Amino acid sequence: MNPGARLIVLGKQGAGKGTQAIRLSRHYVVPHISTGDTFRAAVRSGSEFGQKAKVYLDAGDLVPDEIVVGVVSERLTHSDTMHRGFILDGFPRTVHQAESLEKILEPRPLDLVLNLEIDTEHVLSRLASRRVCSDCGANYSVTDNPPRVKGICDVCGGEVVQRDDDTESAIRRRLELYEQETAPLIAWYSDRGLLVTMDALGTPDEVTERLVSEVDRRKASAAG
Ligand code: ADP
Ligand code: ZN
């Protein structure tokens, strides 16, 4: 089996993309690239770029394609991703982004696109309990996966808060944009034979196990 992995984790907000992407990146020892985390870090830094990004994030709008593609293509030229691969989380989110990614990755294509499936009712309850570390970006859930000490990050000791963009209107806008812009990627990747759709419900461990066994199965059949 070839080392590393080149994977995309796709799914609606609240599907657990971020949590699963971090777990897969540990499992396969490849970098986790989250465009959402990148933009939130830029917002925290207060840079000019961050101030611009904040407007899109707070509204639940998509950051323009050329900005996102620029950020990702820069990251994908680093030697770690060139050699070992990557787990992309939150990117691509539009067909145009997927087309750009295809060009960036030539000549070595993706291994697989993991599509985490969840219905809107579960999305809304997960988002209501979603919390994030304001320093390192680690994800928590007050119901399913709280930090060991209330309000304090297990990883870095930072303050665990509700995301600025987890407001009712931003959530609604993200769901709308998911249907318009991101859902078409399911057919797009399916046409290319790269898509696997998996149930996003269950404990984080159960979902990770599902994803890893599917990736390993595909990698083994590709190698053999
Ligand atoms: P969620 O986990 O709620 O689906 P993310 O953390 O992936 O959201 O992204 C948060 C916000 O960052 C998005 O609402 C959007 O404003 C911006 N963003 C992240 N990735 C992209 C992308 N690939 N294209 C455009 N905007 C993006
Ligand atoms: Zn933290």
Side-chain angles (χ1 to χ4, degrees):
M1 196 186 295
N2 54 326
R6 305 183 130 208
L7 302 171
I8 291 176
V9 183
L10 202 69
K12 272 178 212 160
Q13 52 179 332
K17 288 194 301 293
T19 305
Q20 295 303 327
I22 290 169
R23 287 158 160 255
L24 290 170
S25 100
R26 291 200 190 116
H27 184 90
Y28 293 107
V29 201
V30 296
H32 167 222
I33 303 174
S34 159
T35 44
D37 284 353
T38 304
F39 293 134
R40 280 187 289 277
V43 170
R44 286 197 296 274
S45 79
S47 67
E48 199 180 319
F49 174 66
Q51 286 170 23
K52 279 192 195 138
K54 186 172 168 44
V55 179
Y56 296 102
L57 264 65
D58 284 354
D61 279 332
L62 292 178
V63 174
D65 280 349
E66 63 271 19
I67 296 179
V68 192
V69 170
V71 166
V72 173
S73 65
E74 195 279 328
R75 182 64 187 86
L76 289 176
T77 61
H78 295 197
S79 69
D80 56 346
T81 50
M82 301 271 277
H83 290 109
R84 291 217 41 97
F86 48 79
I87 314 286
L88 277 172
D89 162 13
F91 181 93
R93 251 183 168 86
T94 67
V95 168
H96 177 250
Q97 291 178 13
E99 287 166 351
S100 304
L101 179 65
E102 200 174 40
K103 292 196 193 94
I104 293 166
L105 293 182
E106 269 167 19
R108 216 187 125 191
L110 290 165
D111 292 325
L112 212 53
V113 177
L114 300 164
N115 177 34
L116 287 173
E117 200 167 49
I118 189 166
D119 53 74
T120 305
E121 185 193 327
H122 283 104
V123 164
L124 297 177
S125 70
R126 281 189 179 185
L127 291 177
S129 58
R130 174 157 82 177
R131 299 292 183 275
V132 62
C133 172
S134 55
D135 287 337
C136 77
N139 271 295
Y140 298 95
S141 156
V142 287
T143 50
D144 298 339
N145 172 35
R148 282 191 289 270
V149 181
K150 189 168 182 270
I152 294 174
C153 179
D154 294 347
V155 181
C156 77
E159 195 189 350
V160 172
V161 298
Q162 188 147 29
R163 265 169 51 171
D164 283 345
D165 64 344
D166 276 348
T167 59
E168 204 188 314
S169 66
I171 290 168
R172 210 180 315 114
R173 180 70 182 139
R174 288 203 300 270
L175 282 173
E176 200 176 279
L177 284 171
Y178 172 86
E179 295 301 337
Q180 282 168 20
E181 303 287 348
T182 310
L185 286 177
I186 293 172
W188 199 87
Y189 280 121
S190 172
D191 288 348
R192 285 158 179 75
L194 289 171
L195 191 86
V196 262
T197 292
M198 313 236 84
D199 188 353
L201 295 184
T203 65
D205 283 345
E206 283 163 1
V207 179
T208 307
E209 213 166 287
R210 245 174 250 158
L211 298 177
V212 166
S213 66
E214 188 60 26
V215 172
D216 288 349
R217 202 177 62 76
R218 291 287 197 117
K219 283 174 56 137
S221 70

